[in-house]
Amino acid sequence: MKFRRLLLCAALALVSASVLAADKVLYLYNWSEYLPESVIEGFEKETGIKVVYSTFDSNEAMYAKLRLVDAKNSYDLVVPSTYYVSKMRKEGLLAPIDKSKLAGLDKIDPKLLNRFFDPGNEYSIPYLWGSTGIAINTDEVKPGTVTRWADLWRPEFKDRLLLTNDMREVFHVGLRVLGYSGNSTDPKEIEAAYKKLTTLVPNVRVYDSEAPRMPYLEGETDAGMIWNGEAYQAHGENPAIEYIYPEEGAALWMDSLVIPKNARNVDSAYRFINYVLRPEVGKAISEEIGYATPNMGSLALLDETLRNDRTVYPNTMDLKNTEFQVDVGDAVKVYEKYWELLKAGRD
């Protein structure tokens, strides 16, 4: 009997250790190059929670993966963009946010809360926001000669352009050039944008959403699309890389922290959200990654040079004609059809 009790105690100890170990892990699924290593290291050192970090290069890839993983292999925290927060919320893939577990939510800019994609922020907490515009290498392209998306169709850019590997962003370009909304749900307008984009394909050298600044820095491309944070980083390495807000309007987005419904370590997720909400941590993220922080406390700590950098923090004129991406519902199937055709034509 004594031996059995010892075995039982040993088994219970193993279970407790296993539970404790599980609580000391955070499975984080984020965009490529979108979180400083120093932030992960600081969180791990302070909390003892090991961050298992995985990345994706498009909302579509993230969404497909999330739909496939079961509870034993799920993520605890994911960083989708604007319209995918809406889509995932509607499909029941997200857990409601318990705001009683958050400290620092009052520091978020009210203009970035209670947005159309998640009223009341019931399922998401803003992480970073930014835009998709144009980059040029001014060593190869004369400054001031590219001001519109339509300029990318010029013949001198044959095989010298970069497009992000992002369906909605690329179609935003085609739609805006034709005078349509980048959030169109009209099949005829989407088809027209596809046909317009097929005439751009000869100029496209690469689709890249892993690290779109690199083809510019390596001299592989002279112009094209880019995220503003990638342009900020590229300019830091080569001042000839310039970011442009196109006259037809840049695409705006906000990436948010969400907890999947089948998350394994919810407490770890809340601890990480609270860590990121600290002004000094938000400052470190914005400084290194080059995207705009939604945290007013972090913004106040930033160097004036960065606060006044229009690539990261656009002014009113820069935001003219811009649109936040929204969920297009069933029209996404039309986009997907033409996106596959467009990529097949390039390949």
Side-chain angles (χ1 to χ4, degrees):
M1 180 68 86
K2 184 177 180 181
F3 180 67
R4 288 181 180 177
R5 283 200 299 269
L6 287 172
L7 285 176
L8 179 60
C9 288
L12 289 173
L14 286 172
V15 170
S16 298
S18 175
V19 171
L20 181 62
D23 290 340
K24 290 294 183 180
V25 176
L26 173 72
Y27 293 93
L28 176 57
Y29 198 27
N30 196 3
W31 290 86
S32 303
E33 300 186 320
Y34 209 41
L35 180 67
E37 185 64 32
S38 61
V39 171
I40 295 176
E41 292 173 352
F43 175 75
E44 289 180 331
K45 183 177 180 180
E46 178 178 314
T47 64
I49 296 171
K50 173 66 177 176
V51 177
V52 179
Y53 194 64
S54 303
T55 63
F56 53 87
D57 69 352
S58 72
N59 281 291
E60 289 76 19
M62 172 275 301
Y63 172 76
K65 185 74 174 289
L66 228 60
R67 290 289 300 266
L68 289 174
V69 295
D70 57 24
K72 292 182 179 179
N73 299 290
S74 63
Y75 298 99
D76 303 314
L77 208 55
V78 185
V79 192
S81 298
T82 322
Y83 60 104
Y84 263 85
V85 172
S86 175
K87 180 179 180 64
M88 293 160 66
R89 176 178 62 85
K90 291 175 182 176
E91 295 180 8
L93 297 176
L94 304 180
I97 296 291
D98 184 351
K99 295 186 179 69
S100 70
K101 295 183 178 180
L102 297 179
L105 193 58
D106 60 318
K107 298 181 179 68
I108 299 296
D109 186 341
K111 295 192 297 293
L112 298 174
L113 292 172
N114 195 33
R115 302 291 299 187
F116 60 90
F117 58 89
D118 185 20
N121 287 90
E122 294 182 2
Y123 295 89
S124 66
I125 302 299
Y127 174 61
L128 291 169
W129 69 277
S131 62
T132 305
I134 296 172
I136 62 170
N137 182 340
T138 58
D139 287 338
E140 305 295 335
V141 182
K142 185 178 179 180
T145 60
V146 174
T147 61
R148 306 174 301 155
W149 288 121
D151 291 329
L152 300 182
W153 269 259
R154 297 201 317 232
E156 60 262 37
F157 290 134
K158 184 174 181 177
D159 199 37
R160 300 302 297 170
L161 293 185
L162 179 145
L163 299 186
T164 60
N165 190 26
D166 187 294
M167 176 182 74
R168 288 291 307 281
E169 288 188 339
V170 171
F171 270 84
H172 173 93
V173 175
L175 288 162
R176 295 301 290 162
V177 165
L178 294 174
Y180 304 134
S181 167
N183 295 309
S184 176
T185 58
D186 185 331
K188 291 183 179 179
E189 292 181 355
I190 299 168
E191 181 183 13
Y194 160 70
K195 290 179 178 178
K196 180 66 176 177
L197 289 166
T198 60
T199 65
L200 181 64
V201 167
N203 287 5
V204 179
R205 186 174 185 85
V206 62
Y207 294 89
D208 190 332
S209 288
E210 287 281 356
R213 71 185 184 281
M214 295 310 298
Y216 295 100
L217 291 172
E218 294 168 354
E220 188 179 356
T221 56
D222 300 329
M225 300 173 67
I226 199 167
W227 300 318
N228 64 313
E230 284 282 306
Y232 171 80
Q233 294 178 56
H235 183 79
E237 296 183 52
N238 180 0
I241 307 301
E242 177 184 316
Y243 186 69
I244 299 162
Y245 292 92
E247 292 174 8
E248 301 98 333
L252 296 183
W253 40 262
M254 182 162 65
D255 294 327
S256 299
L257 299 164
V258 302
I259 301 174
K261 194 171 185 178
N262 59 356
R264 288 177 274 180
N265 306 294
V266 175
D267 287 341
S268 295
Y270 278 108
R271 293 190 71 177
F272 189 82
I273 294 173
N274 281 325
Y275 188 76
V276 169
L277 285 174
R278 294 180 188 175
E280 66 275 15
V281 176
K283 169 182 178 289
I285 294 171
S286 185
E287 284 179 337
E288 183 168 331
I289 305 301
Y291 293 100
T293 175
N295 191 316
M296 295 185 296
S298 302
L299 186 62
L301 296 176
L302 290 176
D303 182 89
E304 187 176 355
T305 302
L306 180 56
R307 285 203 309 270
N308 294 329
D309 190 322
R310 288 169 55 196
T311 296
V312 185
Y313 293 96
N315 62 28
T316 302
M317 288 302 297
D318 297 328
L319 294 174
K320 186 178 180 181
N321 296 325
T322 57
E323 291 181 294
F324 268 102
Q325 294 173 314
V326 303
D327 180 16
V328 293
D330 289 341
V332 72
K333 296 175 184 177
V334 184
Y335 281 96
E336 289 170 348
K337 168 189 170 182
Y338 288 118
W339 177 240
E340 291 177 7
L341 290 172
L342 188 72
K343 294 291 293 293
R346 173 62 178 84
D347 297 338

